[in-house]
Amino acid sequence: MSDLHGPVLRWYDAHARELPWRGPAASAWSVMVSEFMLQQTPVARVLPVHEAWLARWPHPAALACEPTGEAVRMWGRLGYPRRALRLHAAATMLVAEHDGEVPTTYAALLALPGIGDYTASAIASFAFGQRHVVLDTNVRRVFARALSGVEFPPTAPTRAERELATELLPPEATDIAATWAVAVMELGALVCTARDPRCGSCPIADQCAWLAAGRPPYAGPPRRGQAWDGTDRQCRGRIMAMLREAPGPVHHTRIDTAWPDRTQLDRCLEGLLSDGLLEAGPEQATYSLPG
């Protein structure tokens, strides 16, 4: 086993956050919902929505029998609401093809709507204790610093990163591969953060190539920030907020007040309609969440 395993696993045992989708009491559905919600969204924002979601829809069949618009409404302000549509579609497929249960295999998970390699690997690992490479942003950053000596990994995962992560997985004969996956993720979230990493609290500081090199600054392509003010994302968010808060269809004259730039507003409305997040009434006089 790698010299990294012991320190990281001991650190995780002492410092892991208690989250509702972790631990033996968490259902596979809870894990699956959390993985959809945690994409590009901090844990603090996910916690209350995840709790409300599981209270209303404790299993896939409960969600599948509801209109898709209710999933979008419950998604609230988590952002990227297409995830809600995909989660609803996945729940519908679980009922139709898997007797309402989350499948245990990576291949079956990958076949569900809205699930790619990372999400399938994460659910298989965290819900079923399987041995898979789980490469999220936090994990990639820990490996980039500790093993490659650079502050940040490339923009997208590379074949070399995946091969290195595979080499670092605990052996098949052990049952700790899934714990290792979440432990490295937690280390990146709490200690080896993108900003202000707490190297003095890191369990593998003595093995970190980046720290040993004097923490050289990132020298790769410019890293894009997440703009918000004035963007289509902000405009779309305002439109969606109006519809989530309305008990029924919203007249277009009210939608017109959501954004000052008419051209941008029309573009965002068309995009939301195309994405299936809105439905238009006759002659687009009203708009509503999907039925």
Side-chain angles (χ1 to χ4, degrees), residues 5-27:
H5 291 162
V8 171
L9 291 170
R10 287 191 294 271
W11 173 87
Y12 179 73
D13 188 53
H15 298 92
R17 291 169 291 181
E18 292 186 8
L19 300 174
W21 47 85
R22 287 183 185 164
S27 67

Side-chain angles (χ1 to χ4, degrees), residues 126-273:
F126 305 149
F128 303 112
Q130 297 175 13
R131 184 179 184 270
H132 293 278
V133 169
V134 183
L135 273 181
D136 83 334
T137 301
N138 290 314
V139 173
R140 296 179 64 225
R141 186 170 57 252
V142 170
F143 289 164
R145 291 174 178 173
L147 301 169
S148 302
V150 295
E151 186 177 15
F152 296 113
T155 304
T158 65
R159 179 176 179 179
E161 282 183 275
R162 178 164 293 279
E163 290 175 350
L164 179 60
T166 301
E167 292 175 7
L168 285 171
L169 274 177
E172 292 279 6
T174 72
D175 59 358
I176 61 171
T179 305
W180 163 253
V182 72
V184 179
M185 190 178 296
E186 191 80 332
L187 184 64
L190 300 182
V191 175
C192 194
T193 57
R195 298 181 179 179
D196 303 318
R198 300 188 295 112
C199 298
S201 302
C202 181
I204 55 173
D206 60 337
Q207 302 182 59
C208 179
W210 182 59
L211 183 58
R215 297 182 25 159
Y218 176 70
R223 290 164 52 81
R224 292 186 300 173
Q226 293 250 335
W228 175 251
D229 288 344
T231 62
D232 283 6
R233 285 183 56 222
Q234 186 182 29
C235 179
R236 286 165 61 107
R238 287 191 184 176
I239 297 168
M240 293 301 299
M242 276 189 175
L243 291 162
R244 285 196 306 270
E245 294 161 6
V250 177
H251 197 265
H252 75 87
T253 54
R254 187 176 172 211
I255 296 291
D256 290 347
T257 68
W259 199 254
D261 184 330
R262 182 74 236 183
T263 300
Q264 189 175 16
L265 178 65
D266 288 342
R267 181 172 67 245
C268 290
L269 277 170
E270 288 302 316
L272 290 168
L273 289 167

Side-chain angles (χ1 to χ4, degrees), residues 104-129:
T104 61
T105 68
Y106 169 87
L109 288 164
L110 193 61
L112 295 173
I115 292 187
D117 170 72
Y118 165 78
T119 305
S121 298
I123 296 171
S125 296
F126 305 149
F128 303 112

